[in-house]
Structure formats: structure tokens, C-alpha cells
Amino acid sequence: MATYKVTVATGDMVEAGTNNSISITLVGTYGESPPSLLVSLVPPQGICPFPQKPFPPLQERSLSVHCGQDLGPIVLIRLHKWRLFLEDAWFCKDVRVAAPNGTLYRFPCYQWLEGVTTVEVREGSGRTHPILKEHRHRELAARQEAYRWKNFAQGWPRCLNVDSIFELDSNIQFSRATEAKKRAEVPPLPCRGASHFLSGFLLRRSSWNSLDEMRTIFSRTQVPEYVAKHWQEDDFFGSQFLTGNNPIIIHRCTTLPLKFPVTPEMVAGSLGGGTDLGKELQEGRIFIVDYKVLEDIPTDTIYGRQQYIAAPLCLLHQGTDGLLRPIAIQLSQTPGPHSPIFLPSDDEWDWLLAKTWVRNADFYSHQLLTHLLRTHLFGEVFAIATLRHLPTCHPLFKLLMPHFHFTLHINTLARSVLINQGGLIDKGSGVTYEGLLLVVQRGLEQVTYTSLCLPDDIRHRGMSHVPNYYYRDDGMSLWEAIESFVTGIVTFYYDGDAAVNGDTELQAWVMDIFTNGFLGRTSSGIPSSLQTVVELIKFLTMVMFTCSVQHAAVNNGQYDLGAFVPNAPSSMRHPPPSEKGRAFLQHFLDTIPEVATTANILVALILLSSQLKDRRLLGQYPEEWFTEAEPRRLIRAFQGRLEEIRDRIEERNQQAELRYNYLNPLETENSISI
């Protein structure tokens, strides 16, 4: 006779406990135990059924499992749930089994059991056995059936084949939505309260009465107030390409493109004495931003009024004080008499309007490409491929899954209310729905592996030594911390390049990402296979960085920098000026979004900037997927490094008039959850 001590833990989320019956079976290399009852529906005689859940949240339950023989090493457990009356889902955190010889086996579970079901959970150390090989195949077959690809739009990364959040498995839903689903309710959207607050503005279809009136629509928090005070200044305009919502679009310019014929005479007054445009280009102090992706994008009407889009170019100069300032703006890709080059020396309203057209182009570039495509859509691709090709026992599944927490839910929700036809972006921006689809399609065609790997991207754009580029500085610190953590995990589980090359599940995962995320475009440089440990470390670092740090950099400041509408207008109601000397205050007010459109976009920004109560910051891993000592040590080291980065950022911010805090580890989530 062999007796095993079994301890089962329930999770801490809402409704994690259960009234239903649960039994457990232990599977070892020599045999398996009979099912042992863990929770029973049957109440004691004379007591009302279900006075309280017999297995509530945050509880552990222990039992002894008696077997006629030693089962050998325990490699698998089966949890079976059934009911006599009402369904009551159960969230199993983990199971621990103490063998008669004192060996402790851990079985990380972290999933909901719903309905009448049997769930098999592998022992956490990832050992091999013929029983486990069969289990591995069954698990992936079931996952590939559950997580299928579909096309949302032609030329876009593919996405999860569901139409509603209610089709999602409970294990990838928001915690609050899981409870709402059980009650057949629609989960509340964070923007509902905002819509109520903004209801008066949502009904006004007229222009703003003044620039100052626009400050009445947003909460008087520090950064929006700073923006409203400084948005007209060239210094602030230039700084947003380094520390704003779209810090990846600026490039160092060494040769002016023919389509942007800026002459030395045009900008001489902006460069200061003792230099000229040729010298500044040669010495690397000229930068360019090009919104060619927006050329000829179809425009929409809002409240019956035609909207307009420009595809501008903007030239910037780094002054002797290290600050970036715009020195020339052309509002089209085709130079000529009807596409003047606007300069700081022009009339005040001409120059301000030209800069505002750049900010409008940046709104589209940021929202559709830098934010939606390069974080949300790629994050979903990484998540689906992981679920389809890496079994729970795979070390890379354990490494990556925390970085996909709630991503499939938020993206499914976005396709329902935000980027859908008639959604918040469609109603609040000047681009048609077809135009939105086209911008993202063009954007994907331009994505390269270099642009997704921060160190490579910084070098490629010539931005290694620009002062005050806090996105680069903080991002590089976090890239290196993630890379160090990934290096430790990979070298612990892979003993060389042959192990990487021979991991068929890993290779299928990479190919799925290449095929369904980047549509098999070899010119992107995205790998379709990984042959070495070094290649694997870089690819995993890119995935984790994209889903955490990069998303934080381009998401967390949306309300801060966009609440004051002239700084990030979502639409323009007059065409780009074709000559100088025609702009004035009322024309400016009649060009930027009217009051109702401003309010609609503000609702979207509030939604995108909201935080979940149960958000998880970078490096927080409440699910203990790794059971070995070394990965746990690596996690602690990673967390310690993040604390050092946090301290450096907060020390720097104490001296700053406008803090750059979007990549503070205290503000950076593990995953794309909003």
C-alpha cells in the first residue's frame, strides 16, 4: 500500500470556488490511482444544500490518496468535475503531491473547469515519458481546434476566429467579464462613465468658441494642462517625437529627399549663425518625419461635413541646447506652387496650422500603426501561435503566457467597439473605414524585424546619440533587462544550437508567426525558423518587449498628450492650405474637430488609458509556472533589475518639469490588456 498526500489550491479571483464535485486521479510511470473525491455535492443529512461553497476562493484542500502499489514518479494528474444540480465553474490554481518517499511534485494548473469536464495537468518540471508524449499531442490538437485563425481585413495580420468576447475561453477573458458571463450580462466598458460626463459636449456639432474653451472638456490633471499651455511652442512640438506617443517615426536625415526641396536660405534663420543646412546635415543634427503612408487615403464625412487628410513631411533641427525644433513643413508628398514649404518665420497662424496638420497625421500614424498594428495586432499573433504550438509544459509557454494576459480579450473587444465599421475611431476620425484598413495594410508592408528590435531600430534610424530621447534610454534599459532574463531561461532549458534547431514545437511556433502575422513576407526579415540560441533569445526578447514595454510607451500617454485636441486632432475639416497668408484664429477653430467629435475621441482616449484593477506589472508572475529553482532565481533577478530601472527613472523625473514616466516599471504592464 502507498499513500500520497495531495493538496489542491483554488485561485483568488471572483467566483473561483465551486459547489460542484471534484475528483482527482494520479498518474505515475508504473500505473495510476483510482479517482479520489476532493469536493462532494452531497450535503450532510438534514442540512440545507449549499449553505456556502465547500471549496471557496483562496482555499487549499488536502486529502490522502491510497494506492495498492507505488505509482512511480507522478507525471500527470486528472481533475474531473461534474454536477448533480447547478453548474458552478471552478478555478484550480495548482496541485501538489507528496509521494511516500518524500518527493514533492508540483502541477501548475491556473485554469477554469467548466461544465462536466476532465482536465489533465502535467508535472511542472517538464520531464519526458511516453504517457506525456501522447498527452502533449492531445493538448495541442485541442488547442489548435479552439484557437483558429481568421482574416479581419485583407493585408492585415490574422486574428482569433471569434466574433464576440462571449465566444472566448474563460481562461483568456478579463476576470470581471468571467463573472458577467455567468450572469449573461455585457461587461461594463470603462468609457460608459466618460460618455455620461461628456454627454453635453457630445451633442454640440459646432466649432469650439475659443482655444481656451477646449480646456473645459478634460480633467485638469498635470500633463494635459501642461500640453494646453505649451502646445504652440516649437520646443514642445519637437520634443514629442522623442517622448510622445509616437517616438519611433523620426529619423536622422543626412540627405534631403527630392520630394522635400528645402533650400539653405529657407532655414538659415532657424539654424543660428556660423552654420548652414549642408553642415548641419553632414554633422547629423537634421531629422525628418515622413507620413507618406497617408498619401491618397480616402476621407470620410462627419456630421455631413467632408474631412481631409494630409501626408506631410517635417524637418527638424537639433539646436546647440540639444532641443529638437521644426524648421520646415510640407503638407504633401508632391512639391510645387500649391504645396508651399511652411517655415517658423511665416505668419503665426500659417506656421501653427502647418504644425497642427503634422500632429493630425501623427494621430493616424500613432493610433493605426505604432499602437494598433505594432503592439495589439502583433501581440495577438504571438499569443495565438503560442497557444497553438507550445504545450503547457514547454518552457517557452511558461515564459511567454504572462505576457499575453487578457490580450485576446481586449483585441476582440476592440474589433467590436473601436476599430469596427461605425466604431469609435470610425466616428471620430476623418478617415473612412476603408481608409483605416488601407493604412494598416500599407503599414504591415513596411514592418521589418529591425524595426521591432529596439537596439537595431535605434541604430537604423540614427537616433543613438540624440539628447533627451527618454523613450530610447528607458526602453534600452528594459530591453536589456528582458534580454538578460530570457538568456537565463533559454540557456537553462536549451544546451546548445542543436536543441533549438531540433525543437519542432518551437519551429512550428515561429513559422505560424511568420505566416499569419507577417503574411510570409520574406523582405520583412522576420525569421520563419530559429537555428541558434542567440537567434532564439533575440526573438523572444522582441516578443516580450513588444507586448509590455513597447505597448506602454505608445499607450500610456494617450490621454495625457491627446486630451487637448489641437495637440492631436483626429480630423481636419478644411483642406491643407495651398498658399500662405490665409490662416487666422477662426479658420483654425473651424479646421480642427468640432466639439462633438472631440468628445467622441476623448471617450476613446479614456477607454484606452484606463487601467484594470487586476493589472500585472512587468516582472510580476503570480502564476508560478516554473517549478525549478533556477528559473525562480532568474525571475527574482529580473525583478531586482526592474527596481533599479524604476529608481533611476524616478530620480531623473524629480528634476524634470514634464516627467517621462511611461516606461517606469511601475507603469509598464506585462501584457497588452487595454
Side-chain angles (χ1 to χ4, degrees), residues 152 156 297-298 368 372 418-419 425-426 429 431-441:
F152 176 73
W156 280 42
I297 292 296
L368 300 180
L372 173 63
L418 196 63
I419 62 171
I425 297 296
D426 189 20
S429 75
V431 66
T432 63
Y433 180 67
E434 292 73 22
L436 180 156
L437 301 181
L438 181 57
V439 171
V440 175
Q441 179 183 336

Side-chain angles (χ1 to χ4, degrees), residues 5 60 203 207 219 248 266 272-273 288 300 332 385 424 468 477 517 530 542 572 587 627 633 649 656:
K5 177 72 176 296
E60 292 187 351
L203 299 175
S207 298
S219 59
I248 67 170
M266 288 180 180
I288 192 168
D300 209 347
S332 80
L424 288 173
N468 308 311
S477 294
L530 298 172
M542 179 275 293
M572 299 292 265
H587 175 76
T627 60
R633 185 195 68 78
I649 291 173

Side-chain angles (χ1 to χ4, degrees), residues 526-541:
I526 303 292
S528 58
S529 65
L530 298 172
Q531 304 303 317
T532 68
V533 168
V534 171
E535 290 175 0
L536 176 57
I537 290 169
K538 181 175 182 178
F539 194 81
L540 290 171
T541 302

Side-chain angles (χ1 to χ4, degrees), residues 367-445:
Q367 290 292 0
L368 300 180
L369 302 180
T370 303
H371 184 207
L372 173 63
L373 172 64
R374 287 174 171 263
T375 62
H376 278 265
L377 300 188
F378 290 160
E380 180 168 5
V381 167
F382 302 148
I384 296 171
T386 299
L387 287 163
R388 287 174 55 83
H389 294 288
L390 301 181
T392 307
C393 62
H394 199 291
L396 301 187
F397 179 92
K398 300 176 185 181
L399 174 69
L400 293 174
M401 278 309 293
H403 299 281
F404 308 138
H405 193 56
F406 296 152
T407 298
L408 297 180
H409 186 127
I410 194 61
N411 279 14
T412 302
L413 192 60
R415 285 189 284 272
S416 303
V417 301
L418 196 63
I419 62 171
N420 57 310
Q421 194 159 12
L424 288 173
I425 297 296
D426 189 20
K427 285 196 275 188
S429 75
V431 66
T432 63
Y433 180 67
E434 292 73 22
L436 180 156
L437 301 181
L438 181 57
V439 171
V440 175
Q441 179 183 336
R442 288 181 180 177
L444 180 60
E445 291 170 353

Side-chain angles (χ1 to χ4, degrees), residues 299-559:
T299 56
D300 209 347
T301 59
I302 297 178
Y303 304 128
R305 180 168 176 171
Q306 183 64 49
Q307 308 294 302
Y308 299 88
I309 294 176
L313 296 114
C314 179
L315 206 65
L316 299 106
H317 173 244
Q318 179 190 329
T320 55
D321 55 4
L323 299 181
L324 282 183
R325 298 179 182 90
I327 58 173
I329 294 171
Q330 180 178 288
L331 297 180
S332 80
Q333 297 286 309
T334 305
H338 299 294
S339 182
I341 295 175
F342 292 90
L343 306 168
S345 56
D346 291 338
D347 178 80
E348 173 190 2
W349 287 105
D350 282 341
W351 181 236
L352 187 61
L353 184 60
K355 289 192 295 181
T356 305
W357 273 103
V358 173
R359 296 301 305 155
N360 170 248
D362 201 71
F363 172 87
Y364 293 117
S365 170
H366 163 254
Q367 290 292 0
L368 300 180
L369 302 180
T370 303
H371 184 207
L372 173 63
L373 172 64
R374 287 174 171 263
T375 62
H376 278 265
L377 300 188
F378 290 160
E380 180 168 5
V381 167
F382 302 148
I384 296 171
T386 299
L387 287 163
R388 287 174 55 83
H389 294 288
L390 301 181
T392 307
C393 62
H394 199 291
L396 301 187
F397 179 92
K398 300 176 185 181
L399 174 69
L400 293 174
M401 278 309 293
H403 299 281
F404 308 138
H405 193 56
F406 296 152
T407 298
L408 297 180
H409 186 127
I410 194 61
N411 279 14
T412 302
L413 192 60
R415 285 189 284 272
S416 303
V417 301
L418 196 63
I419 62 171
N420 57 310
Q421 194 159 12
L424 288 173
I425 297 296
D426 189 20
K427 285 196 275 188
S429 75
V431 66
T432 63
Y433 180 67
E434 292 73 22
L436 180 156
L437 301 181
L438 181 57
V439 171
V440 175
Q441 179 183 336
R442 288 181 180 177
L444 180 60
E445 291 170 353
Q446 298 173 6
V447 170
T448 63
Y449 192 34
T450 292
S451 69
L452 296 177
C453 298
L454 183 65
D456 298 342
D457 180 53
I458 294 297
R459 286 191 294 271
H460 175 73
R461 292 190 289 116
M463 301 296 292
S464 298
H465 304 294
V466 183
N468 308 311
Y469 196 10
Y470 299 136
Y471 161 75
R472 174 203 60 210
D473 299 342
D474 298 349
M476 284 296 293
S477 294
L478 291 167
W479 176 281
E480 291 165 2
I482 293 171
E483 184 180 52
S484 176
F485 174 45
V486 168
T487 299
I489 294 292
V490 168
T491 54
F492 178 74
Y493 287 102
Y494 291 87
D495 58 8
D497 294 344
V500 171
N501 186 39
D503 187 339
T504 56
E505 292 166 339
L506 166 64
Q507 301 302 335
W509 173 72
V510 177
M511 178 59 78
D512 212 15
I513 291 171
F514 174 72
T515 303
N516 291 291
F518 300 91
L519 307 187
R521 186 170 58 87
T522 55
S523 60
S524 67
I526 303 292
S528 58
S529 65
L530 298 172
Q531 304 303 317
T532 68
V533 168
V534 171
E535 290 175 0
L536 176 57
I537 290 169
K538 181 175 182 178
F539 194 81
L540 290 171
T541 302
M542 179 275 293
V543 169
M544 291 169 59
F545 183 89
T546 297
C547 296
S548 56
V549 180
Q550 187 64 23
H551 181 255
V554 304
N555 176 78
N556 292 358
Q558 291 189 88
Y559 183 83

Side-chain angles (χ1 to χ4, degrees), residues 4-174:
Y4 296 82
K5 177 72 176 296
V6 177
T7 303
V8 181
T10 292
D12 61 353
M13 62 279 296
V14 174
E15 302 291 333
T18 186
N19 280 315
N20 289 181
S21 295
I22 308 291
S23 66
I24 186 169
T25 300
L26 310 182
V27 180
T29 56
Y30 300 160
E32 60 184 68
S33 72
S36 299
L37 194 62
L38 181 66
V39 180
S40 174
L41 271 170
V42 182
Q45 188 173 6
I47 297 179
C48 177
F50 324 130
Q52 61 180 7
K53 290 182 186 290
F55 203 168
L58 271 176
Q59 290 284 323
E60 292 187 351
R61 176 153 300 192
S62 298
L63 74 158
S64 296
V65 175
H66 303 287
C67 304
Q69 62 175 9
D70 186 344
L71 302 178
I74 308 300
V75 295
L76 195 72
I77 60 168
R78 295 193 193 100
L79 296 168
H80 182 60
K81 174 180 167 295
W82 74 98
R83 61 180 185 265
L84 296 179
F85 302 104
L86 298 177
E87 159 64 12
D88 190 16
W90 174 50
F91 186 89
C92 178
K93 177 184 175 185
D94 62 16
V95 177
R96 298 183 297 279
V97 177
N101 63 5
T103 303
L104 180 65
Y105 301 94
R106 295 192 59 223
F107 298 83
C109 186
Y110 302 107
Q111 60 180 300
W112 288 95
L113 279 68
E114 297 181 313
V116 176
T117 186
T118 298
V119 171
E120 294 183 332
V121 183
R122 289 182 55 137
E123 197 272 328
S125 64
R127 66 183 69 228
T128 58
H129 188 271
I131 297 173
L132 299 179
K133 187 174 182 179
E134 180 185 349
H135 170 263
R136 202 176 187 117
H137 291 320
R138 288 199 308 269
E139 181 184 17
L140 289 182
R143 293 249 207 89
Q144 289 167 15
E145 178 67 25
Y147 298 97
R148 294 184 172 187
W149 297 104
K150 76 169 182 180
N151 290 320
F152 176 73
Q154 185 66 32
W156 280 42
R158 296 189 178 103
C159 63
L160 186 64
N161 188 15
V162 296
D163 296 320
S164 162
I165 58 172
F166 296 111
E167 297 177 46
L168 297 174
D169 185 279
S170 295
N171 294 297
I172 58 172
Q173 286 190 333
F174 290 162

